[in-house]
Amino acid sequence: MARNVAVLIGNGLSVAFNAELNLQQITQEVLERIRRLDGDDVVTAMKELAARALPDGANTDEDFEVLVGALGAESRTLEVLNRLAQLTNPKDEELRDCIRKVASFAEQVCDSGISHVLQVITERSHAYQDTAQNLNSLVASLTDAFDGKVVLANLNYDTLLLSALLNVCQSDLADMGHGRKQASVILDDNQTREVQQLRAFADDFPQEKRVQLLHLHGSLTFWATRDRTTFVKIPKNLLEDGEQWHAVRNRTTNIRPAVVLANRKDKVEHVTRQPFALAYNMYTVGLKGAKHWLIVGYSFRDDPVNERLRTEFLDRTTKPKVLVVTYGADPERRTVERAFGWGVEDGPSDWLTINRGGANGAEKTQEWGSFIETSKQGLPRLGAES
């Protein structure tokens, strides 16, 4: 019988294979770039938002969420204003025009802020030769050990994991880019280009591809038309020279990034929209179909993600075998147990193993070997696990 695994990847994996993707460093670099900007009212508004959000700079990884939450907050303003413009009495064209101008300004501030964040990540989204080989080794160990479905839910915006998967198992891989459907978009050079659309339905994923890569919160390469009716995947090489990010800020492209860059509260709403809703739903299917769950570099601070894990975990009589790979003392075991809905009254969490040595080299550890071995032998029922 084929063995399936559901995998959740957080920022800790990216940092393990490229320290430049540390969230605190990214946040500090974005703050510095915004502070150095000269320009119009949009720039002034961005500076004000950044200064209010983090007046003392970036001191922890959590500050990344604070900054993007502040910069992305204008998206909520935009939605309210668009609704107001639609509700305004048609005879009051002057009021309607004013609302639309404010909505356009809010959209520019939001797009400009997000473009700076993603441009920094794009510039750092690479793996050096030795660490790339190590990441390839981790991915190969995982895909070799599980001969059934390997469903990877990635919370990172960078392309490190995708690159490793392409190197290791390209013929078995399906990501969210639709290989057979394309759309025309206008990029930074004012040229119309044909690029892949994103998959819209679960049936768009080919059944013969056993490895699925799902970006729960989007990717550098995920873009959408401004009316969010068309979602596309842009090749990363078209983003590396920085011109497309300038085009977003200058409004000379007809697409904008499709990512969840928001604080914890707003993420709950954002992930109900496409393409994120599809990714979450397919990850849930992956959880349901797997007796083994691997979680790498995740802080257990995303409420929508925790809710999916907890709901499926609590629904099971026989619990999945869970391996959490982290670096250092955070998160504590109790934090992980709480995320899964496991209380003190439930007894020892024999289903849970935590490897605190980090993702780089995790496939060589005893915890990994035990996790892989149980995948081959099958799991006893809860209470009989050692």
Side-chain angles (χ1 to χ4, degrees):
M1 183 176 179
R3 300 180 303 275
N4 303 333
V5 63
V7 187
L8 178 65
I9 301 295
N11 182 249
L13 179 130
S14 294
V15 174
F17 297 100
N18 184 345
E20 295 177 2
L21 289 167
N22 174 279
L23 292 179
Q24 181 182 344
Q25 293 182 24
I26 290 172
T27 306
Q28 190 62 50
E29 176 63 22
V30 173
L31 285 172
E32 289 300 322
R33 292 191 185 190
I34 291 176
R35 287 169 182 161
R36 292 196 301 264
L37 290 174
D38 290 318
D40 55 13
D41 290 339
V42 171
V43 171
T44 301
M46 251 197 324
K47 287 185 175 184
E48 182 71 18
L49 288 170
R52 289 189 179 187
L54 296 172
D56 300 320
N59 300 301
T60 67
D61 283 358
E62 286 81 359
D63 288 334
F64 178 80
E65 198 166 74
V66 174
L67 178 63
V68 299
L71 295 174
E74 298 308 311
S75 63
R76 296 196 306 274
T77 305
L78 177 62
E79 292 169 4
V80 173
L81 290 171
N82 283 332
R83 287 198 296 270
L84 283 174
Q86 294 169 5
L87 294 172
T88 301
N89 188 322
K91 294 181 181 180
D92 198 341
E93 289 296 336
E94 183 177 356
L95 176 59
R96 186 190 296 271
D97 288 344
C98 288
I99 294 174
R100 285 173 174 165
K101 286 180 181 178
V102 175
S104 177
F105 179 76
E107 183 180 60
Q108 289 181 66
V109 173
C110 181
D111 285 352
S112 294
I114 288 175
S115 71
H116 281 290
V117 174
L118 294 179
Q119 184 174 358
V120 171
I121 296 175
T122 300
E123 292 168 0
R124 299 174 178 220
S125 184
H126 57 82
Y128 298 100
Q129 184 174 356
D130 55 342
T131 54
Q133 291 174 350
N134 292 347
L135 180 53
N136 291 347
S137 174
L138 177 68
V139 170
S141 178
L142 175 68
T143 54
D144 288 346
F146 294 90
D147 57 354
K149 286 287 187 182
V150 179
V151 179
L152 301 109
N154 191 6
L155 292 168
N156 300 310
Y157 308 106
D158 62 68
T159 57
L160 295 190
L161 180 59
L162 174 60
S163 296
L165 289 167
L166 290 173
N167 287 331
V168 170
C169 57
Q170 183 172 3
S171 62
D172 284 332
L173 175 66
D175 69 353
M176 295 186 70
H178 202 304
R180 298 179 180 176
K181 289 187 178 180
Q182 293 191 318
S184 297
V185 298
I186 299 174
L187 297 185
D188 60 274
D189 52 9
N190 289 317
Q191 297 294 317
T192 299
R193 302 216 185 182
E194 294 291 320
V195 295
Q196 286 187 57
Q197 290 191 37
L198 293 184
R199 304 185 199 273
F201 306 99
D203 289 344
D204 290 337
F205 284 79
Q207 292 300 310
E208 68 274 13
K209 303 288 188 180
R210 68 182 189 90
V211 181
Q212 294 178 347
L213 176 60
L214 310 169
H215 282 88
L216 296 187
H217 295 164
S219 164
L220 297 170
T221 61
F222 287 14
W223 294 68
T225 52
R226 295 191 178 275
D227 59 5
R228 297 189 70 83
T229 58
T230 303
F231 296 90
V232 298
K233 179 183 176 185
I234 303 297
K236 181 175 177 285
N237 66 291
L238 296 181
L239 304 173
E240 291 174 339
D241 63 4
E243 292 303 315
Q244 180 62 15
W245 305 114
H246 290 296
V248 172
R249 298 191 279 272
N250 297 332
R251 301 175 75 79
T252 55
T253 178
N254 70 338
I255 52 176
R256 58 203 300 257
V259 291
V260 177
L261 275 172
N263 57 35
R264 289 183 63 175
K265 179 180 177 181
D266 293 334
K267 281 181 183 178
V268 176
E269 178 185 353
H270 280 270
V271 300
T272 63
R273 309 169 185 168
Q274 293 291 40
F276 321 114
L278 174 62
Y280 267 83
N281 290 340
M282 292 198 64
Y283 178 51
T284 301
V285 173
L287 290 171
K288 290 181 181 296
K291 295 180 180 179
H292 290 75
W293 297 358
L294 172 65
I295 300 173
V296 182
Y298 174 54
S299 64
F300 289 89
R301 288 195 295 266
D302 266 302
D303 294 332
V305 176
N306 290 350
E307 188 274 332
R308 297 296 174 111
L309 291 171
R310 183 168 53 251
T311 298
E312 176 54 30
F313 181 85
L314 294 177
D315 277 348
R316 294 197 181 193
T317 301
T318 301
K319 302 306 181 186
K321 189 70 175 179
V322 180
L323 173 61
V324 173
V325 177
T326 187
Y327 186 76
D330 186 44
E332 297 179 350
R333 189 179 189 90
R334 192 73 195 99
T335 300
V336 179
E337 291 172 341
R338 287 195 191 101
F340 282 95
W342 190 265
V344 175
E345 67 280 5
D346 295 312
S349 50
D350 297 332
W351 46 270
L352 174 62
T353 300
I354 301 179
N355 173 3
R356 299 191 178 277
N360 196 342
E363 75 281 6
K364 302 173 185 177
T365 64
Q366 180 180 351
E367 292 90 350
W368 183 277
S370 297
F371 182 71
I372 296 303
E373 189 62 28
T374 56
S375 77
K376 299 176 181 178
Q377 296 175 350
L379 282 175
R381 290 186 63 83
L382 189 67
E385 297 176 357
S386 58

